Amino acid sequence: MLGACGGEKAATTDSAAAPAEAAAAAPAEAAPAAGAMAPITGTTHEVKMIGDGAGYRFEPAALTIAAGDGVKFTLVSGGPHNVAFDGAAIPAAGKAALMANMPEQAGELSGKMMLNADESYTISFAGVAAGEYPYFCTPHLAMNMKGVITVK
């Protein structure tokens, strides 16, 4: 019986190891982007994510920053919220750097989903090309929860 358990365990481990190795391979491809995240060398600006009787919004919705600054998005109310950038609407020269500076992406140029008040998500704009970076909250896009970060 011990041999059978060991055999089952070995089979389970082997079959579990293949998906685990495949899963490890997928993040390994994304790892250089995450590992390449440039440190914030300037000011970290806070943008509040709010959903209440007045609507869904980012405060401030328009923000001008310097290259090297960071932006911390904080869920205040009305979650879930996230921050996502439209790859077609941002400067092509900044797309790769922005992707590399967005940890825990839920999708391309889409930050993690935040569910609880005081959760935050910080993006470094170090190495990101000058230009306008329109962004939105995926769950509340239809409610016009949008903003723009201008990198000088």
Side-chain angles (χ1 to χ4, degrees):
M1 185 165 180
L2 186 57
C5 287
E8 286 176 22
K9 185 172 184 179
T12 303
T13 302
D14 291 341
S15 62
E21 287 170 2
E29 292 172 15
M37 183 182 345
I40 296 168
T41 57
T43 303
T44 298
H45 306 268
E46 184 175 32
V47 174
K48 296 177 180 175
M49 306 166 95
I50 301 170
D52 59 19
Y56 290 87
R57 63 199 177 279
F58 292 100
E59 284 186 359
L63 182 64
T64 300
I65 65 171
D69 285 358
V71 179
K72 178 181 177 183
F73 294 88
T74 303
L75 189 154
V76 174
S77 60
H81 295 300
N82 77 333
V83 59
F85 295 86
D86 179 356
I90 64 173
K95 183 177 178 180
L98 183 59
M99 282 180 57
N101 291 343
M102 291 180 70
E104 301 178 69
Q105 290 183 57
E108 184 177 85
L109 295 169
S110 181
K112 71 175 185 174
M113 196 65 62
M114 294 178 283
L115 305 173
N116 303 304
D118 298 323
E119 262 188 277
S120 64
Y121 182 74
T122 302
I123 301 170
S124 170
F125 280 82
V128 174
E132 289 191 350
Y133 292 80
Y135 64 92
F136 56 90
C137 172
T138 304
H140 301 113
L141 178 58
M143 294 167 207
N144 207 33
M145 188 170 175
K146 300 177 184 178
V148 66
I149 295 170
T150 302
V151 179
K152 292 288 182 183

